[in-house]
Amino acid sequence: MKLLQLDLQFFAGEKTEKATPKKRQDSRKKGQVAKSQDINTAIVLLAVFFILLFAGKYFYNILLYIFRHAFEDYMLMNLTASNVQVIFLDVLKELILVLAPIMAVAMIAGIIANYMQFGFLFSTEAIQPKLEKIDPIKGAKRIFSVRAIVELLKSILKISFVGAVTFSVLWIRKEEILILAQKSVGAGLATIANLTVQMGLIASAVLIFLAVLDYLYQKYDFEKNIRMSKQDIKDEHKNMEGDPLIKSKIKQRQREMAMRRMMQEVPNADVVITNPTHYAIALKYDETKSDAPFVVAKGVDFVAQKIKYIAKENEVIQVENRPLARALYSQTEIGQTIPEEFFKAVAEILAYVYKTKRKI
């Protein structure tokens, strides 16, 4: 029997269920999402090489201006502190004109790559310092884990693919490379730049293909890590709904408050229709509030006895009508007007009540 209980506890604790929306939301708040860093790298590289392809002439003109200015002006200037500062600021300004567009495109591409994977996310928990990150035992486990082996195989695969692609481009254009020495400096640099951009674009496209596969793996691994056991799901529902004992106490408290409010209305009733022992219905007619009499209190057994006791203390007339009491109890709610089929019977009772009060 104990062995069976242990088996049931084991299976209950086994994480076989998909994560609930709340678990996913909590993981997202912690910065834990399905994400492939290779997607970011590939898209950023592709964007950078595209801007080099389309804005190459712009960068070429700026770099040519820097070299021309250096040989024509800077080399003829005296070496003084003020001149060095002027040269540094001029060169820095020109380099910013070269690097700023590339950095801007890389940043935008990185934002787009992240947004494509998991949308907008801002979480400070992911960057909070944690002592477990410097734990040597856990560090060793991470190094020799299955995930580390997968990452190593991915790196080897990426290097192999990129190496094969770049070599293929160089091999196809080997004749151009072999005659570089016979070309002018400008033509040689143009050929090298063209080769670099071509290899970069093709390598980026290959990396995107590998990154998509990596993203699928990362998504699978993420789903696996956030799986929940049946017990986890039960505990989550319990936490969301609250402790059953506390909920029952709250409901009991609400019933008690509703009962007190109902009993406070009994002295204002015009009549209490009784069974006489099991049912009690307190009715009131107020033409300013409703065109028909309405129920201010009702109850069975103990509650009915309490209604009758309060009615007696406050000199509210009680009328015994067994079928009417049962029917009103089952077909009306507190604060609701009585159904039309009971108008005649209740009108006769109220007429009797008003007549009795006038005599008193």
Side-chain angles (χ1 to χ4, degrees):
M1 189 68 181
K2 289 184 178 179
L3 183 61
L4 179 61
Q5 290 177 347
L6 289 173
D7 288 339
L8 290 174
Q9 288 176 0
F10 171 77
F11 286 115
E14 191 175 0
K15 299 185 182 298
T16 57
E17 307 301 313
K18 288 185 177 180
T20 60
K22 184 179 183 304
K23 177 67 178 291
R24 294 178 185 277
Q25 187 177 6
D26 292 342
S27 298
R28 187 177 177 85
K29 287 179 181 178
K30 296 177 183 177
Q32 298 173 359
V33 289
K35 175 187 175 183
S36 171
Q37 192 61 43
D38 292 344
I39 292 278
N40 293 21
T41 304
I43 291 180
V44 168
L45 280 176
L46 187 64
V48 168
F49 280 112
F50 261 117
I51 192 174
L52 290 176
L53 175 65
F54 292 107
K57 189 166 180 150
Y58 165 77
F59 298 132
Y60 169 77
N61 290 333
I62 293 178
L63 292 174
L64 189 62
Y65 170 79
I66 293 174
F67 281 110
R68 184 183 293 116
H69 206 44
F71 287 112
E72 291 179 356
D73 298 326
Y74 298 152
M75 292 185 67
L76 302 177
M77 296 174 66
N78 294 325
L79 188 61
T80 62
S82 59
N83 287 341
V84 169
Q85 184 178 5
V86 170
I87 294 170
F88 174 76
L89 293 175
D90 286 346
V91 172
L92 182 62
K93 182 180 70 174
E94 298 300 330
L95 288 177
I96 288 174
L97 293 177
V98 174
L99 296 176
I102 297 175
M103 298 297 292
V105 167
M107 184 179 69
I108 294 171
I111 294 172
I112 292 173
N114 281 314
Y115 187 81
M116 287 169 56
Q117 294 184 77
F118 49 80
F120 178 77
L121 175 63
F122 179 78
S123 174
T124 57
E125 292 193 31
I127 58 174
Q128 287 179 356
K130 296 180 181 178
L131 293 177
E132 62 182 18
K133 292 183 179 180
I134 59 175
D135 186 345
I137 297 176
K138 291 185 178 180
K141 288 181 179 179
R142 285 195 295 269
I143 292 172
F144 299 104
S145 64
V146 176
R147 187 179 183 85
I149 296 173
V150 171
E151 293 297 327
L152 175 62
L153 294 175
K154 279 167 44 186
S155 299
I156 295 172
L157 187 65
K158 284 187 289 185
I159 293 170
S160 302
F161 269 80
V162 172
V165 166
T166 52
F167 177 77
S168 299
V169 173
L170 293 173
W171 182 259
I172 292 170
R173 300 183 62 178
K174 62 182 181 296
E175 294 180 0
E176 294 181 56
I177 297 172
L178 291 174
I179 62 172
L180 277 176
Q182 302 174 15
K183 293 183 177 182
S184 64
V185 175
L189 288 174
T191 302
I192 293 172
N194 184 267
L195 273 170
T196 303
V197 171
Q198 186 178 3
M199 287 188 294
L201 288 173
I202 296 174
S204 299
V206 172
L207 282 176
I208 285 179
F209 171 73
L210 296 175
V212 170
L213 298 179
D214 179 60
Y215 175 74
L216 295 176
Y217 167 75
Q218 296 293 345
K219 190 171 183 180
Y220 162 78
D221 188 56
F222 173 74
E223 293 291 335
K224 182 180 177 182
N225 289 332
I226 64 171
R227 280 181 187 170
M228 303 173 69
S229 64
K230 292 186 183 340
Q231 187 61 42
D232 291 337
I233 295 175
K234 288 180 182 178
D235 292 341
E236 182 182 284
H237 284 307
K238 184 184 290 185
N239 292 332
M240 289 176 65
E241 295 176 359
D243 192 316
L245 182 61
I246 296 175
K247 284 179 64 179
S248 64
K249 288 184 177 179
I250 292 173
K251 288 183 178 178
Q252 181 182 356
R253 184 71 173 171
Q254 290 173 340
R255 285 195 296 268
E256 291 175 354
M257 292 174 64
M259 181 69 70
R260 281 198 296 269
R261 286 196 299 269
M262 184 179 72
M263 293 303 175
Q264 289 172 359
E265 293 296 325
V266 173
N268 300 323
D270 292 323
V271 64
V272 174
I273 302 173
T274 65
N275 186 336
T277 54
H278 296 294
Y279 293 86
I281 312 293
L283 301 178
K284 180 175 179 60
Y285 176 63
D286 187 348
E287 59 183 6
T288 61
K289 293 183 179 180
S290 175
D291 295 333
F294 55 92
V295 179
V296 295
K298 71 173 188 175
V300 294
D301 298 331
F302 172 76
V303 178
Q305 297 300 325
K306 192 169 183 180
I307 290 173
K308 289 191 289 183
Y309 175 76
I310 296 174
K312 186 177 180 181
E313 280 193 334
N314 291 272
E315 299 180 350
V316 177
I317 297 175
Q318 301 180 40
V319 176
E320 180 181 338
N321 189 323
R322 298 190 179 192
L324 182 59
R326 295 175 67 92
L328 287 174
Y329 181 84
S330 61
Q331 298 184 38
T332 58
E333 297 295 333
I334 296 171
Q336 182 181 348
T337 58
I338 62 172
E340 189 175 351
E341 59 265 27
F342 302 122
F343 279 3
K344 184 178 180 182
V346 172
E348 291 176 354
I349 291 173
L350 288 176
Y352 165 75
V353 169
Y354 294 149
K355 184 177 179 182
T356 305
K357 285 185 177 179
R358 281 197 296 270
K359 288 181 179 179
I360 295 173

